Amino acid sequence: MKASTFKRHVTDSFRSLKRNGGMSVAAIVSVTVTLLLVGIFLALIFNVNHVSREVENDVRVRVMIDQKTTKAQRSTLADELKDMSAVSTVTYSSRQQELDKVVGSYGSAFRMFGGDSNPLNDVFIVKTKTPQATEKVAKAAQKLDHVADASYGGANARNLFKATDSLRQWGLGFSVLLLLVAVFLISNTVRITILSRRTEIGIMRLVGATNSYIRWPFLLEGAWTGLFGAILPIVIVDIGYAVIYGASANTFASAGYALLSPASLLVGMDFLLAIIGIVIGAVGAAISMGRFLKI
Amino acid sequence: MIRMVDVSKVYDNNVTALENVNVEINQGDFVYVVGPSGAGKSTFIKLLYRELKATTGLIMIDDFDLPQLKDREVPYLRRRIGVVFQDFKLLSRLTVAENIAYAMEVIETDPEEIKQRVTQVLQEVGLADKADRFPNELSGGEQQRVAIARAIANNPHILIADEPTGNLDPNTSEEIMALLETINSKGTTVIMATHNDQLVNSHVHRLLEINNGDIVRDEKEGTYANEG
């Protein structure tokens, strides 16, 4: 296509957007609402997946030591853990160190549990050679003497997946529904454009304009509607996510995990939202072209 | 060159508009298509520029085989054919020159060529001084001239005029007729559907009379007076 032709199509499509006024605004707002929810939902899903994967790949097993265990017994337990073939390192963390971590994550209010009122256990942090070995090592550790409990990331990951599963399904269903509403509204505005430009379309057909030439302005009008609708969600999700990321960084960092950084998540997601906007716009336009634009 | 062989058109509601029509029109001919309302004139005209598809039969226009023509090839057929209607079909928001340029822009003609050609056709139809007027500032005859200028802008081989004088007074009709004859004299085939017996009788050309979906008369120099 010639550059001058494309410029003409762009001008035509903007003229139609302007001429359809209220309908165009309604369609853009509907895309905005839809993509805002889709954006929030995507940020949530991407992060749940990311954290779950981190948890799954975690090679640490936390072996909690009975509170009444003596130093000698603890040393024996450490040796027993080190003797396991799947274990690479065993690190001791006292109940006071564990409490310090909690205070670091959740605030100084937890200092009231200091000294004898500290409910936490001394812990051996056992690193396995592979993430897959954590379950086996945890189960084996549980059977050893002086072990109160042994936990590993994989179990947490499974729980996390289970908890977010229904969220994911509802979110997906709701998003699809909203996308359909947006497509319907866009197809309606494009239909109005097609009907109002009937004479022009007739003349174009008569003098031999190609089908694609006739269709381009309508397709562009739909695509602009989708793209303009995507701008506000992109801005809101970007700012909102940066704020949430900043606020939650401490909590997650102390647990050894992190949310996806804004840089790694948002560039791709902004692009995705813009593409979704353009695609639903184009699909909306295509539906009306199929029904009302007989070439 | 236009050739129709055993062409029939039956609409979806089972109404037969044309039945076994056979006709040949040579390049450069001037042909009237006459007949009462509902006889099949419009169907005949619409088959030529592939607004309608024939139900059966063969239609050749130059090297285009219409029944075989794919939808995406139709625009290229239509670039060989200019069409003019009774109601002009001009775009009211565009000036005279823009209306003509529009027909060239949408087939992606070079802007410089458009400029030259618009000036040229405006002179041919005698509206060089009204290039910047809007259609509603013109008389009916002038509007029809603009429509004709637009139809010939892309240098079509064939000009189809469907009742071009239907909305015009006798004097203006004469002027339009003279213009169509001038265009014809330069080698463009003109096919004109009309009810205007005065024009047909005073500007004698080949005449096809359609009645009940059939060509009942095909005379080299036919007039309305012979009808019947």
Side-chain angles (χ1 to χ4, degrees), chain A residues 19 70 80 120 161 185:
Chain A
R19 203 156 37 185
T70 64
E80 283 171 341
L120 300 175
F161 276 128
L185 279 172

Side-chain angles (χ1 to χ4, degrees), chain A residues 66-249:
Chain A
D66 273 338
Q67 296 211 352
K68 285 170 188 160
T69 311
T70 64
K71 262 191 178 176
Q73 287 167 332
R74 202 171 68 206
S75 171
T76 314
L77 176 59
D79 290 340
E80 283 171 341
L81 289 169
K82 277 177 198 161
D83 284 346
M84 290 184 189
S85 60
V87 171
S88 63
T89 62
V90 175
T91 317
Y92 174 69
S93 171
S94 72
R95 51 201 288 234
Q96 186 53 45
Q97 285 169 316
E98 290 294 296
L99 181 65
D100 289 345
K101 282 186 202 165
V102 172
V103 171
S105 300
Y106 298 104
S108 52
F110 286 90
R111 282 201 194 286
M112 60 187 278
F113 294 111
D116 284 344
S117 52
N118 183 351
L120 300 175
N121 298 65
D122 295 329
V123 170
F124 277 125
I125 296 162
V126 177
K127 283 195 179 171
T128 60
K129 287 171 183 162
T130 61
Q132 291 76 25
T134 50
E135 186 177 358
K136 206 177 76 187
V137 168
K139 280 185 178 158
Q142 261 168 352
K143 288 176 189 155
L144 297 176
D145 289 338
H146 313 296
V147 170
D149 197 10
S151 64
Y152 64 103
N156 294 337
R158 269 200 289 278
N159 288 338
L160 209 55
F161 276 128
K162 215 178 281 174
T164 55
D165 213 31
S166 60
L167 172 82
R168 215 177 310 197
Q169 280 171 0
W170 278 99
L172 197 68
F174 201 52
S175 298
V176 168
L177 203 68
L178 282 168
L179 285 174
L180 289 178
V181 172
V183 166
F184 171 75
L185 279 172
I186 291 173
S187 87
N188 235 357
T189 61
V190 172
R191 179 178 67 97
I192 290 171
T193 306
I194 291 173
L195 296 180
S196 70
R197 293 188 61 194
R198 211 180 255 171
T199 315
E200 265 176 82
I201 295 167
I203 292 166
M204 283 196 266
R205 293 175 60 226
L206 263 188
V207 299
T210 56
N211 296 350
S212 66
Y213 186 96
I214 297 173
R215 286 167 181 269
W216 260 107
F218 302 107
L219 202 63
L220 281 177
E221 185 188 345
W224 295 136
T225 309
L227 185 61
F228 292 155
I231 292 172
L232 209 57
I234 286 175
V235 172
I236 292 174
V237 169
D238 279 14
I239 294 174
Y241 189 76
V243 170
I244 290 170
Y245 181 79
S248 67

Side-chain angles (χ1 to χ4, degrees), chain B residues 199-224:
Chain B
L199 277 186
V200 172
N201 291 343
S202 58
H203 299 256
V204 179
H205 293 287
R206 181 176 171 190
L207 183 139
L208 294 178
E209 185 182 342
I210 298 180
N211 207 346
N212 286 328
D214 198 8
I215 293 187
V216 293
R217 190 153 65 105
D218 180 357
E219 289 176 3
K220 203 174 171 197
E221 295 187 332
T223 62
Y224 247 92

Side-chain angles (χ1 to χ4, degrees), chain B residues 101-154:
Chain B
Y102 186 82
M104 302 182 76
E105 283 163 5
V106 300
I107 61 164
E108 302 181 63
T109 311
D110 179 64
E112 200 49 45
E113 194 186 330
I114 293 177
K115 223 165 136 187
Q116 284 175 9
R117 182 69 182 145
V118 168
T119 312
Q120 193 185 353
V121 290
L122 276 173
Q123 271 165 359
E124 280 180 38
V125 301
L127 288 173
D129 56 333
K130 304 219 162 140
D132 297 326
R133 299 280 189 87
F134 286 91
N136 60 9
E137 298 169 343
L138 304 178
S139 69
E142 287 168 332
Q143 290 188 49
Q144 191 59 290
R145 282 166 184 275
V146 179
I148 291 170
R150 181 179 66 191
I152 61 170
N154 292 322

Side-chain angles (χ1 to χ4, degrees), chain B residues 6 11-12 34 37 43 49 51 58-60 63 95 112 115 126-127 150 160 164 186 190 194 197 202 211 214:
Chain B
D6 292 335
Y11 287 104
D12 291 341
V34 302
S37 298
T43 302
Y49 60 95
E51 178 70 18
L58 172 81
I59 304 176
M60 289 291 294
D63 45 355
T95 64
E112 200 49 45
K115 223 165 136 187
L127 288 173
R150 181 179 66 191
I160 293 173
K186 291 175 184 165
V190 176
T194 186
D197 51 352
S202 58
N211 207 346
D214 198 8

